Amino acid sequence: MAVSARRFLAPPVLGLLLLLIGSGRAADYMLDVRDGLGREFDGIGGLSGGGATSRLLVNYPEPYRTQILDYLFKPNFGASLHILKVEIGGDAQSTDGTEPSHMHYEDDENYFRGYEWWLMKEAKKRNPNITLIGLPWAFPGWIGRGEAWPYDFPDITAYYVVSWIIGAKQYHDLDIDYVGIWNERSFDSKYIKLLRYTLDKAGLDRVKIIASDNLWQPISMFMLLDSELHRVIDVIGAHYPGTHTVEEALKTGKKLWSSEDYSTFNDEVGGGCWARILNQNYVNGNMTSTISWNLVASYYEELPFGRDGLMTAKEPWSGHYVVESPIWITAHTTQFTQPGWHYLRTVGHLEKGGSYVALTDGQGNLTIIIETMSHNHSKCIRPPLPDFTVSPQNATFYVKGPFSKLSTLQVWYSKLDFKHANRTLFRQLAPLKLTGGAFSLELDVDEIYTVTTVTTGQKGFYPEPPKSQPFPSRYQDDFNVRNPLFSEAPNFADQSGVYEYFTNTSDPGEHVFTLRQVVTQRPVTWVLDADQTISVIGSYSWTNMTVTCDIYIETPETGGVFVAGRVDRGGSPTRGAKGLFFWVFADGTYSVTVDLMRKIVLKKGLAGVRAHEWHTLTLHIYGHFASGLLNGYPLWKDVFTVGSRNGWAAIGTSSFELAQFDNFSVEAS
Ligand SMILES: *[C@@H]1O[C@H](CO)[C@@H](O)[C@H](O)[C@H]1NC(C)=O
Ligand SMILES: *[C@@H]1O[C@H](CO)[C@@H](O)[C@H](O)[C@H]1NC(C)=O
Ligand SMILES: *[C@@H]1O[C@H](CO)[C@@H](O)[C@H](O)[C@H]1NC(C)=O
Ligand SMILES: *[C@@H]1O[C@H](CO)[C@@H](O)[C@H](O)[C@H]1NC(C)=O
Ligand SMILES: *[C@@H]1O[C@H](CO)[C@@H](O)[C@H](O)[C@H]1NC(C)=O
Ligand SMILES: *[C@@H]1O[C@H](CO)[C@@H](O)[C@H](O)[C@H]1NC(C)=O
Ligand SMILES: *[C@@H]1O[C@H](CO)[C@@H](O)[C@H](O)[C@H]1NC(C)=O
Ligand SMILES: *[C@@H]1O[C@H](CO)[C@@H](O)[C@H](O)[C@H]1NC(C)=O
Ligand SMILES: *[C@@H]1O[C@H](CO)[C@@H](O)[C@H](O)[C@H]1NC(C)=O
C-alpha cells in the first residue's frame, strides 16, 4: 500500500542514497503541472436519505437549526459542502426509516412531502453553486404493478423519476444536476436509456445520469459493450470502493465517483477514515468526488448506523448538537478547492504512510492536502482495510513550473487524538515561507495539513448549543399545531409506511387534524420491509410507560391498528421488532403481542372496535406487567410481559392500509 512517492522525482540511485543516509532525512515530493493536469475535481458531498437520516433535524428550534445548516453548507464556515445528494423518497424503509414519495398512488402528485425539498433549498440559500443529486432507494408499489421490481414498465419508472425533477424546479426552483438509477440494486440498460430519452424530451438535457450506485461492475463492462449505454451515462458512481477502482471503469473514460462512502461512527475513527478516503479515493482510485453517507446524524442513535454522519444533531427537543471531527476534516478540502479545479498529476503516497493531493484552479491557485492517518484513526466501517503503518516523517515539497514563484502559502492543520489531549481541528498556522520553491513539514501520525494559496478559509463558530437532554418523559401531540413546511409530525420516525398530517374538514368534532398512515400497497422495497406499518417515537431507554392514542381504522373487516411500547428496533430489521403491542381490529377483536409480526400472542379477546369510529387506546407497561384500556375502560390487565425490556413508543397498522391517529401522548420512565 505504501508506494514510494520517490518514483515521481528522484532517479533510483538518488533514492538508494537517501535511504542510506537514514531516518532523519526528509523525503522529497515534486508538485508540477508541466506534464499536464490530472482529472477535473467534482466536489465533496453529503447524503441526506437512504434513509430518513435528516428526520430529526427539521424540528430543531432556531437558532440551532440555522447553525447546524451553516456548519454543513455555508461557504468558508464549516464543511462547506460542494454537493448535496438526497433520496427520492419511495415510501419504503431505506436504512433509518422511510421517506415519503411524491406519488404515493398512480393518480397522486405532491411535491411538498418530507424534508428533502426544504433541505435542498437551505443548502442552495447558503451556496447557490451547490450540486444537487437525486437517487431512489425504493418506489411506491404501483410503479411495479404488484411486482417487487421497477423495470418491467421502464417508461412508468422514468416518468416517475423525471416528474420528481420537474417538480423540484416547478415548486421549489431547484435545478437537479444529477440523477441516479436504483441505490445498490440492479440496473437495467433499457431503463437507463429510456431515462435519458425522457429527460431530454422534458428539456432536461442538462441533468446528468450517474450509474449504478453499487459496485464498479457489472456497469463498467456493460458500458464497454454497449456504446449507447456508454453515451447516456455521465458518471460511474461506486459505493464504498475502499479507495480503489477497476481497469474496466478506467477504460470507459468516464468520470469516476465514490457516490457513497464513509459510513463510520463520527468519532476519531470516523474523522480519520474520512480524511484518508478524501485523498486516497483520487490517489488510488482516480475518483473525483466523494459523498458521505450520511450528511448529518439526525436520527435516533439506536437505529442502524447510529452517528454515522459528518456531525450529530439528534435532539431537537433540547437543541443540543455536536460538530464532530469530520466537519473540519471536510473543510480541509472543501474550503480550498471548488468543483471545476483540476488535480495535479503529481499526487501520491507519502514514504512512511499517508498521502498527498494537489489541485489547481488553472489561474495560479494551488491547494495541497496531506494526510497521515494511522490505522486506528482511519478504519472505515466498510470495507475492512488491510493493515498498514504510518510513522512520523519529514517531507519536503517542491512546487514547480508556474508555482515556483510562490513565496508564502497559508497553512491549516488538524490532528486527531482519541484522548483529545492533543486534538486540534482545523487551526490556521502561520503562513509558510517558501525558499527556492520548496517547503518542509515535520509530519506526525494522524495529522492533516492544507497548504494553499487560497486566503478565504475560516473556522466558523457559534456559541456552545444547549446541553444534551433525554427525550421528554411526558410528551403529547394532538397534531393540531403544524409547521406548514413539513408533512410529518415532529419526532415520529416512520420505519414502515408513511405517517402524514391529515385534515378532514367534514369531521364534526375533535378529529379534524389527525396523523394518517397513507401507504396502501407494499412498495417496491429496498430491504425486507415489514408487512405492517410502524412509526416510533421517544427514548430507547424507556422501560415503564403509558401510551395513549385515539385511533380510527379505515378498512372494514380486515383493518387493524396498534399502540406499542418498549419497541426494540427499527431500520431494516424492523420486521423483527419486539416490544409490547396492543392491537385492535375492525372485526371487533383485540390482541396483545410481543412482536410486530404477531407471532407471539400474550392475550386476545373481543373489544368491539369497528372501522370508521374513533376509539382511545391506552397501553400501560410497568415492570413485568402490562394493562390495556379501551376508551378509558380496562380491557385486559396484568399480562405478564416477555421480550424487550426497554425501547421506543410506537403507533402502527396491521397491514398497508389507511388509518388515523390523534391526540397521542406518552408518559414514561
Ligand atoms: C525531522 O527533522 C527534524 C529537524 O531536522 C529532526 O529533528 C527530526 O528527527 C526529523 N524527524 C524524522 C521523523 O525524521
Ligand atoms: C459560484 O460560482 C461562480 C462561478 O464559478 C463564482 O464566481 C461564485 O463566486 C460562486 N459563488 C459562491 C457563493 O461560491
Ligand atoms: C489513474 O491514476 C493513476 C495514479 O494517479 C494514474 O497513473 C493513471 O494515469 C490514472 N488513470 C486514468 C485513466 O486516469
Ligand atoms: C490502536 O490499534 C492497536 C491495534 O489495533 C490497539 O492495540 C491500540 O489499543 C489502539 N489504540 C487506540 C488508542 O485505540
Ligand atoms: C501531546 O503533545 C506533546 C508535544 O508534542 C507530547 O509531548 C505529548 O506526549 C502529547 N500528549 C499526548 C497525550 O499524546
Ligand atoms: C486564488 O484564490 C483567491 C481566493 O482565495 C483569489 O483571490 C486569487 O485571485 C486566486 N489566484 C491566485 C493566483 O492566488
Ligand atoms: C371525515 O369525516 C367525516 C365525518 O365524520 C367522515 O364521514 C369521513 O369518513 C372522514 N374521512 C376520513 C378520510 O376520515
Ligand atoms: C417500572 O415499574 C416497576 C413496577 O411498578 C418498578 O418496580 C420499576 O422500578 C419501574 N422502573 C423504572 C425504571 O421506573
Ligand atoms: C388528549 O389526551 C389527553 C391525555 O390523554 C387528555 O387529557 C385530553 O383530554 C385529550 N384530548 C382530547 C381532545 O381528546
Side-chain angles (χ1 to χ4, degrees), residues 75 126-129 338:
R126 288 164 175 80
N127 175 7
N129 291 345
Q338 289 300 323

Side-chain angles (χ1 to χ4, degrees), residues 449-485:
Y449 280 90
T450 301
V451 180
T452 179
T453 57
V454 175
T455 53
T456 46
Q458 277 181 64
K459 186 170 186 182
F461 171 81
Y462 283 115
E464 276 293 298
K467 286 206 160 31
S468 173
Q469 299 280 349
F471 193 94
S473 58
R474 280 163 178 263
Y475 184 84
Q476 213 217 314
D477 193 343
D478 59 14
F479 312 120
N480 292 358
V481 180
R482 295 174 174 189
N483 181 337
L485 285 180

